[in-house]
Amino acid sequence: MRSRSAYAAFGVLATLVGMGAGHLVAAFTSPASSPVLAVGSAVIDRTPVPLAQWAIRTFGAADKAILIGSVIVGVLLLAGLAGVLARRRFVLGAALLVVLVAIAAAAALTNAGAGAVDVVPAVATAVVGVAALALLDRLARRARPATAADDGAARSASPSPGVGRRGVLLGAGSMVVLAAALAGAGRLVGRLRSAPADVTLPAAAQPLPALPAGLERTYPDITPLQVPNEDFYRVDTRLDVPIVDVEDWTLTIDGDVDQEVVLTFDDIAAMELIERDITLTCVSNSVGGEFVGGARWLGVPLMSLLQMAGIDNTKADQLFSTDVDGMTISTPFELATDGRDAMLAIGMNGEPLPREHGFPARMVIPGLYGMISATKWIERITLTTYAAQEAYWTQRDWATDAPIKPSARIDTPQGLPEEVAPGEVIVGGVAWAQTRGGVAKIEVKVDDGGWEEAELGPDVDNDYWRQWFYRWDATPGLHSVAARVTDGDGEPQITEVAQPFPEGSSGIHLLQISVSD
Ligand SMILES: Nc1nc2c(c(=O)[nH]1)N[C@H]1C(S)=C(S)[C@@H](COP(=O)(O)O)O[C@H]1N2
Ligand SMILES: [Mo]
């Protein structure tokens, strides 16, 4: 039981138990400081933009799971090495484990807004991991050599009653169970803590009428007119869900204003609330992508907040917002205050903001990509200049002035390798052209035919997307189907192909569709 491979396995097992313990402790203190997540976040912040773009293009919404998976695989390889070292000299293996954990602790400390408490999960990981390795090492050293198993003389000559091969396997097996139990408990605690907050929201001063029935009632493959909260796309730099205690939370408006304003959640909820249907879009959305969604937002006009602080004499050209962990987002002052329905939202689709989507409050500004407008878990809005302060994505060379590019997306039918039957096929999807007079026209083109007008779903408002469908008489064979939108100002969407970096993708969504005989 003292083979190299056995010790490599010990290293891996001990590390898994340690990581489980760290994850559980972090669930109580701050989830982001769980060693694996901390390393993952540090990787995200240091990933060059082209690589991040490639990951988003290749893995889509799974990019974070793949990142965490890679970190775990990397750590476990090193953990195996630590085990092998421990076979020769225990302190060497233990030292490598401690170094690994120290890297995670350092990563946790580089998280914006991190404090000393964020090191605690790493300490737990190190202590439990080294203890587990010591235990396995001890069991293995005590185990009788396998060859002596049937040798009575060897048994009686053994100085201590050996625990045997079975004891080692049992020890190793318990480690697996323990690691899973710790990680599972951490997950459970995390889930309980991230349950939606128990707050009751007042109604808007002028509640909106219920949304009209969407096309999804007739054609279920078209994206719902209003995306349910649990299905709404999520894009942020976080690997965990920030848990903000609404009792301790305040929003500060400061910088180049007449007076600093600090508001509690109750202060904001007591203001005159507005309700708006607005479609959010992520700059990382590629043509035909998933990072776009329509929801009904409840909150206060951003302008009401800015006026409380007094902005008549401001020289600011940037609203610099900061979230509860120090993440920063820039917004062009001029666009946020040009009369569009920029708001600080506290409700989404009739519920308090889900924690994933920014509880207790976030910004929502029609017509600007989320990276320059939609700050979640917001805590501070500072009026300043682009020359004075650079936000997170500005430092990474994304555009600071990035209006959403109108786009049409085909939701159904699916492209290859899916196959559809010949005859009438409903081609349908959504299109958006926020703040540009909304969606005026959708056209569909099959193969080399002309652009044919599609039928439009209900018109909610100019800042909202619009569903559409087109009846296509599909003939057997392979066809290309494309869709394009024209906005309310009469502008057709940009056909030139652009990648998301640095100011949003453009190009026509085109699918190859195979029609069976
Ligand atoms: N605090 C914080 N707010 C954030 C982000 C972030 O990483 N951190 N991501 C932004 C981006 S890029 C987008 S597209 C929207 C997405 O909002 P959603 O996750 O609610 O869909 O949030 C924005 N707000
Ligand atoms: Mo985004």
Side-chain angles (χ1 to χ4, degrees), residues 340-341 365-368 403-404 433-438 462-464 489:
R340 68 183 75 206
D341 284 323
I365 305 181
L368 301 180
I404 297 172
Q434 300 94 319
T435 68
R436 297 168 187 258
N462 289 349
D463 296 330
Y464 210 59
D489 301 338

Side-chain angles (χ1 to χ4, degrees), residues 233 235 281-284 369-371 393:
Y233 85 90
V235 171
T281 312
C282 180
V283 71
S284 293
Y369 286 119
M371 65 154 182
W393 279 300

Side-chain angles (χ1 to χ4, degrees), residues 348-381:
M348 179 178 183
N349 292 336
E351 289 165 18
L353 282 179
R355 296 200 185 269
E356 290 82 358
H357 297 290
F359 181 84
R362 72 175 306 168
M363 293 224 292
V364 171
I365 305 181
L368 301 180
Y369 286 119
M371 65 154 182
I372 56 159
S373 67
T375 321
K376 304 193 272 191
W377 316 291
I378 192 169
E379 180 176 86
R380 184 178 297 272
I381 301 173

